[in-house]
Amino acid sequence: MNHVVLIGRLVADPETRYTQSGIAVCNFRLAIDRKFKNAAGEKEADFINCVAWRKAAELIGQYMSKGRRLGVQGSLQSRNYQDKEGNNRTSYEVVVDEFEFLDSGGGTGGSSGPRPGPPPPPGPGREQRPAPGSPPEPPPDNPMDDDLPF
């Protein structure tokens, strides 16, 4: 079973891009407070990379900003790559299946309205490429999902 549930605050504004085939992808990082304080009595946080696709990517990119609280459910995914020095590295991120906006206000410095919308999907002559190292394009939505009884 690979199921992750997180509640945290966005470390920075989410970054929304479009694949060459016009699918929205949004990368963001959540700061998750740990339950306990460290030996010095200070709270610590973990910083978790997340990626959302399609409509979820567009909504998170449009309505979320730095400091806002977000709840996500998804799965943990690892990717292997080589850094500039040729060392093998592994990165982990949560692939968001579901999400929920958890605060109604503007977080730290945000506004309660939508942020300026993401650019339109690329069309003929307007191709945008995903960021280097971005996750591969997901498989198409499974039409069988609508037939599940739960």
Side-chain angles (χ1 to χ4, degrees):
M1 180 184 313
N2 183 354
H3 186 76
V4 177
V5 178
L6 300 171
I7 295 176
R9 293 193 180 275
L10 271 80
V11 174
D13 288 345
E15 297 178 13
T16 304
R17 292 175 173 64
Y18 289 87
T19 65
Q20 290 180 347
S21 57
I23 296 174
V25 58
C26 181
N27 295 92
F28 56 95
R29 181 180 277 192
L30 289 177
I32 314 294
D33 289 331
R34 291 187 179 173
K35 251 183 161 178
F36 303 101
K37 295 180 180 180
N38 64 17
E42 301 167 335
K43 279 212 148 206
E44 292 184 354
D46 293 299
F47 298 90
I48 310 296
N49 293 324
C50 301
V51 61
W53 293 89
R54 297 180 177 80
K55 189 65 174 174
E58 291 175 346
L59 292 171
I60 291 170
Q62 184 174 3
Y63 291 102
M64 294 303 290
S65 58
K66 179 179 178 178
R68 302 280 306 268
R69 279 180 19 115
L70 181 66
V72 299
Q73 292 184 33
S75 57
L76 188 63
Q77 175 179 286
S78 64
R79 288 188 289 133
N80 297 314
Y81 65 97
Q82 285 189 340
D83 63 13
K84 294 176 183 176
E85 289 82 35
N87 299 315
N88 291 328
R89 300 286 184 186
T90 303
S91 67
Y92 297 92
E93 64 190 359
V94 173
V95 179
V96 176
D97 294 324
E98 297 180 39
F99 67 94
E100 188 170 334
F101 302 142
L102 296 177
D103 58 9
S104 58
T108 57
S111 65
S112 58
R115 296 180 352 166
R126 293 187 294 147
E127 287 189 354
Q128 289 182 325
R129 297 178 188 251
S134 66
E137 191 171 305
D141 288 332
N142 184 354
M144 298 296 288
D145 287 346
D146 293 337
D147 297 333
L148 297 176
F150 47 87

